[in-house]
Amino acid sequence: MLGVAYTAVAAVFFGLNGATFRRGVLGGSALQGVYVTVLGGVPLFLLAALVTQQAFRLDALELRAYAILAASGMLHFLLGRYSNFRAYAALGQTRAQPLIQASTLVSVVIAVLFLRETVTPLMAAGIALVMAGPAISATRVASAAATLGARVPPVRLAEGYVFGTVNALAFGISPVLVRYALGDSGLGIVAGLTAYLGAGAVLALGFVLPGVRTSLSGMNPGARGWFAVGTFTVFAAHMFRFLALSAAPVSVVIPLLRGGAFLHVVAAWLINREYETFDRRVLVGIAVSVSGSVALVV
């Protein structure tokens, strides 16, 4: 299935993106990361729309569909991405993954209720596993962090779980909006461009605030570099995510996408091993959540 292939490619780029985001928030803020990655993604999606010639098929979608896609962009790329950055900063990339997996549950439940997709008993078991993962990895935070060296930032569990929960809700709802707006049109690139433009328009208004301009002008050079790399990886990830959602049901795409959480562990080990937590409970929590995500689509 083409949608599954798109999802697999998106999962690879999301793994790389998680590592670059994590590295960026070690020296920068969540607000800085959102501005760089969203505004930087607009021209990339515009270029992709021109290259694929989807930019010349804008009349294939109704005005209502564009409004829904723009709203999904505001939800996903503003609220969702900001809370994602905050969760990474507070918990680390690996420890945040099981909690972010909960977005799978949100997506599947909403898809069942509003898009008439169905849930089998095996999928119900998968939902239970997805929910169990965060509880497993949340335990023994202090001792796990203490054994990994001084470079591991302190874990702020309460902050991480608040923003992780917000992230799961935002990331869980937005794919349903995208799928509802697109149907089987195949216009995933147009959807991505519209969503980025919706979020970018809100961010552009923020430039009138002195605090925003001061924050961006005073960005740490190292953080700026990692956020710039993250702009390209997250663009590629979302390009294939939107393409997948234009070709396959939410209940297939999102669980498989979250099932790629092990790729976050690989990327974290390659790029951020000195800043991340790889204790047994975290890895078991990720494995349980991934198992649940896979069960949702078997």
Side-chain angles (χ1 to χ4, degrees):
M1 181 187 294
L2 189 59
V4 173
Y6 285 144
T7 303
V9 178
V12 172
F13 279 108
F14 273 123
L16 292 172
N17 176 68
T20 58
F21 278 6
R22 167 60 166 162
R23 196 63 170 266
V25 294
L26 289 174
S29 69
L31 181 64
Q32 292 169 342
V34 169
Y35 263 90
V36 171
T37 58
V38 172
L39 295 183
V42 172
L44 293 175
F45 261 107
L46 178 59
L47 178 61
L50 291 171
V51 170
T52 61
Q53 298 189 345
Q54 288 196 16
F56 307 105
R57 298 173 55 197
L58 299 180
D59 58 347
L61 295 177
E62 298 179 356
L63 182 60
R64 183 182 65 171
Y66 284 109
I68 293 172
L69 290 170
S72 76
M74 296 175 196
L75 177 64
H76 192 101
F77 299 125
L78 298 182
L79 181 61
R81 188 168 294 179
Y82 178 82
S83 57
N84 182 252
F85 279 131
R86 290 293 298 267
Y88 276 5
L91 298 176
Q93 181 187 359
T94 54
R95 190 176 293 280
Q97 284 312 303
L99 181 60
I100 294 172
Q101 293 292 107
S103 64
T104 304
L105 172 62
V106 177
S107 294
V108 171
V109 169
I110 296 177
V112 168
L113 294 176
F114 295 99
L115 300 183
R116 307 301 183 185
E117 298 181 10
T118 59
V119 174
T120 65
L122 182 59
M123 292 174 71
I127 290 172
L129 291 174
V130 167
M131 297 176 66
I136 294 172
S137 63
T139 58
R140 295 187 181 176
V141 172
S143 60
T147 61
L148 292 172
R151 300 193 70 182
V152 178
V155 174
R156 303 186 299 276
L157 190 62
E159 176 186 341
Y161 266 64
V162 168
F163 283 103
T165 300
V166 173
N167 174 258
L169 291 171
F171 278 12
I173 295 171
S174 63
V176 180
L177 296 177
V178 173
R179 178 64 181 172
Y180 177 73
L182 284 179
D184 293 318
S185 66
L187 295 176
I189 305 299
V190 170
L193 175 61
T194 305
Y196 262 77
L197 284 172
V202 176
L203 292 179
L205 295 176
F207 281 116
V208 303
L209 302 175
V212 170
R213 297 196 302 271
T214 300
S215 175
L216 295 177
S217 63
M219 194 182 312
N220 179 287
R224 184 186 297 112
W226 283 107
F227 287 145
V229 175
T231 298
F232 287 96
T233 56
V234 79
F235 154 72
H238 279 295
M239 180 176 67
F240 285 102
R241 168 181 169 268
F242 280 112
L243 286 171
L245 287 170
S246 69
V250 172
S251 57
V252 171
V253 173
I254 299 306
L256 282 179
L257 193 60
R258 296 306 174 197
F262 72 94
L263 296 171
H264 286 261
V265 178
V266 174
W269 176 259
L270 293 174
I271 299 174
N272 296 325
R273 71 183 69 179
E274 67 271 35
Y275 301 107
E276 284 296 330
T277 301
F278 296 97
D279 69 295
R280 184 181 303 173
R281 288 178 181 269
V282 171
L283 298 180
V284 170
I286 292 174
V288 168
S289 291
V290 168
S291 299
S293 296
V294 173
L296 284 169
V297 293
V298 172

